[in-house]
Each structure stands twice: as C-alpha cells, then as structure tokens.
Amino acid sequence: MEFNYSFLTAYSHLRLVVKRVDPALKEKLKQNTVTLESEYEKLEKSDLDNWENIRGPSLWEDSRTVQKQRREAVRLRTE
C-alpha cells in the first residue's frame, strides 16, 4: 500500500492554520447567533408576493447605460 504524502502535508498544513485562528475572530464566531429559525422569521416578514424582476445587463451591454434607462423608466412611471 502506497502512502499519500501530499494528503499528509495538506492535512498538517490545515491543522496548523486552524490552530492559528485569531482569538478575537473565534470569540466573534461564538457570539454569532444566526439560526435557521431566525432566518426563516426574516423571510416570513418580507413581502414575497409583490416583487419586481430586475434584469441585469448582458455582457455586451454597458451597465451604466442600462441603469440610466431603468432610472428614466421608473421616473416616467412615477409621474
């Protein structure tokens, strides 16, 4: 059986990197209390029935020109 040294070196490197995590970052991650339930509550509060599909510019379109056209269209709708 041949031993895979590249796996061993990658694992050793990962182990060292994990040990060097900043303590302030560790504390911040522990204080993060985002849960699935809290994210679900945010989605429940949002109005998902009234939304507008906004198309981004294609690769060949200039994004500034497209944005300018959209702003003009919105301005005309509100007048």
Side-chain angles (χ1 to χ4, degrees):
M1 182 174 158
E2 186 178 317
F3 190 72
N4 189 348
Y5 287 103
S6 63
F7 171 75
L8 182 61
T9 55
Y11 178 75
S12 299
H13 176 72
L14 180 64
R15 190 179 64 198
L16 289 174
V17 168
V18 168
K19 285 184 179 180
R20 291 187 206 150
V21 173
D22 185 24
L25 179 61
K26 276 187 179 179
E27 190 63 33
K28 186 177 179 181
L29 289 174
K30 285 180 184 177
Q31 292 175 356
N32 189 2
T33 58
V34 176
T35 62
L36 183 61
E37 290 80 13
S38 66
E39 291 299 311
Y40 181 75
E41 288 172 4
K42 284 183 193 176
L43 284 174
E44 273 189 330
K45 292 176 185 175
S46 62
D47 184 19
L48 298 177
D49 293 329
N50 299 319
W51 59 278
E52 182 180 346
N53 188 14
I54 301 173
R55 182 185 71 81
S58 299
L59 295 175
W60 57 86
E61 293 176 326
D62 180 30
S63 64
R64 292 177 192 248
T65 307
V66 172
Q67 288 174 359
K68 192 179 200 181
Q69 290 171 351
R70 285 198 192 118
R71 287 187 189 118
E72 184 68 22
V74 169
R75 187 181 63 78
L76 291 175
R77 273 188 276 169
T78 56
E79 289 180 350

